[in-house]
Amino acid sequence: MKKIKTRSIEPETLHFVARLGRTVRSAFDADTLIRYELLRRHSLHAILPKLSRLAQNQVPITGESLNVIYGLSRDHHSFDAPTLDWGFNLTEPQATKTIAHLLNKGSGDVLALRIIAFLSAMKSPYVPTIGEARSAVVEAEVNRIDLVLKYQKEGSDKYSAVIIEAKFGHKITRGQLSKYTKIIKRDKSVDMASTEWVILGIDDNAMNGLKGRQWNKWRFVSWRGLWLRFEKARPIEDDPNLTIFLQWLWH
């Protein structure tokens, strides 16, 4: 067996190992850690251009631009999470229920910052303050609505709401969105004047089926755009459930 040459550990590797919380000795074979870091970062840089729309438009790709797009340098990035292979893909209800569960986790500023990041990623025209975001409640598949995020603005006794219809390629059924409006109107705790209506889909074909004034009421957000913005904006938190889910959602 070929003997691997040892060398003094580099300062950058010391920093990396310290983040892992492992014991560091003055000298040992650092090749394993270096290979891991190369695999983690540089293989992503080699693969992700194929996924990028910039590559589709034949725009030059650099590591810096990929970091801007995907936020690869952030701690707890979902691309670092294990890849799940359970033999099936997420359904719309599974995705929305998991989003609601993970957004509701915990309390205090981390929860509030997670809510703020999600609404920013949804490109909401109004993003709540930390104090307002602490009051947020996220519900999925209630009254047949895919996802509802509610929070109270300061000085208001009612909730502002974001109503989300999530699509993984399915079409809007006849009368579906009108029923949502009627359901929300019956909820006296919701301020209809500050309620947003969002269709979350793979592409803007998800908007097919809108009628008349619905085009002015409902706006489109892509799953890909939501994922990219949320991954970069969400607070740094060591929650493997969130990172694993976001990686699965990306795939």
Side-chain angles (χ1 to χ4, degrees), residues 13 19-20 66 69 90 104 130 136 151 182 195 201 213 247:
T13 309
R19 285 172 53 194
L20 292 178
L66 282 175
I69 296 169
L90 283 170
N104 282 324
I130 289 182
Y151 62 91
K182 293 177 182 177
T195 294
R213 288 179 293 179
Q247 199 224 54

Side-chain angles (χ1 to χ4, degrees), residues 82-144:
T83 300
L84 297 180
D85 184 10
W86 290 348
F88 61 91
N89 294 322
L90 283 170
T91 64
E92 292 164 8
Q94 287 171 339
T96 53
K97 286 180 180 179
T98 306
I99 288 172
H101 171 70
L102 293 174
L103 289 181
N104 282 324
K105 286 190 70 175
S107 60
D109 286 353
V110 172
L111 181 146
L113 290 171
R114 197 187 307 128
I115 293 291
I116 290 171
F118 184 79
L119 289 175
S120 298
M122 291 293 296
K123 303 184 83 170
S124 294
Y126 181 83
V127 177
T129 65
I130 289 182
E132 292 170 340
R134 287 197 191 100
S135 68
V137 177
V138 189
E139 300 173 334
E141 306 301 324
V142 176
N143 292 324
R144 302 184 69 179

Side-chain angles (χ1 to χ4, degrees), residues 133-169:
R134 287 197 191 100
S135 68
V137 177
V138 189
E139 300 173 334
E141 306 301 324
V142 176
N143 292 324
R144 302 184 69 179
I145 298 177
D146 289 346
L147 198 62
V148 178
L149 192 155
K150 300 186 292 187
Y151 62 91
Q152 284 183 299
K153 291 183 179 179
E154 292 179 10
S156 175
D157 58 352
K158 289 192 173 184
Y159 283 102
S160 297
V162 181
I163 312 301
I164 301 170
E165 169 64 15
K167 294 294 183 187
F168 278 167

Side-chain angles (χ1 to χ4, degrees), residues 145-250:
I145 298 177
D146 289 346
L147 198 62
V148 178
L149 192 155
K150 300 186 292 187
Y151 62 91
Q152 284 183 299
K153 291 183 179 179
E154 292 179 10
S156 175
D157 58 352
K158 289 192 173 184
Y159 283 102
S160 297
V162 181
I163 312 301
I164 301 170
E165 169 64 15
K167 294 294 183 187
F168 278 167
H170 299 92
K171 295 182 179 179
I172 295 171
T173 57
R174 185 176 179 180
Q176 183 180 16
L177 301 184
S178 299
K179 291 178 182 177
Y180 290 176
T181 302
K182 293 177 182 177
I183 290 169
I184 298 302
K185 280 184 176 179
R186 289 199 296 266
D187 188 345
K188 301 303 181 182
S189 69
V190 173
D191 179 11
M192 290 293 293
S194 61
T195 294
E196 300 176 46
W197 309 83
V198 178
I199 293 178
L200 182 62
I202 301 296
D203 53 43
D204 57 10
N205 287 326
M207 301 289 280
N208 293 341
L210 267 65
K211 305 293 183 183
R213 288 179 293 179
Q214 289 179 345
W215 284 99
N216 298 323
K217 181 176 182 178
W218 292 81
R219 62 184 179 86
F220 172 74
V221 173
S222 73
W223 280 105
R224 182 180 185 277
L226 171 67
W227 189 98
L228 289 170
R229 290 187 291 268
F230 184 60
E231 183 62 64
K232 289 183 289 186
R234 67 186 178 93
I236 301 297
E237 50 180 312
D238 191 9
D239 185 351
N241 293 300
L242 181 57
T243 54
I244 290 172
F245 167 73
L246 288 172
Q247 199 224 54
W248 199 15
L249 183 61
W250 173 262

Side-chain angles (χ1 to χ4, degrees), residues 34-52:
I34 293 172
R35 284 197 298 271
Y36 170 77
E37 190 67 6
L38 288 173
L39 175 65
R40 180 175 180 265
R41 295 294 180 205
H42 297 286
S43 65
L44 288 172
H45 283 205
I47 294 170
L48 289 179
K50 299 176 183 178
L51 304 177
S52 173

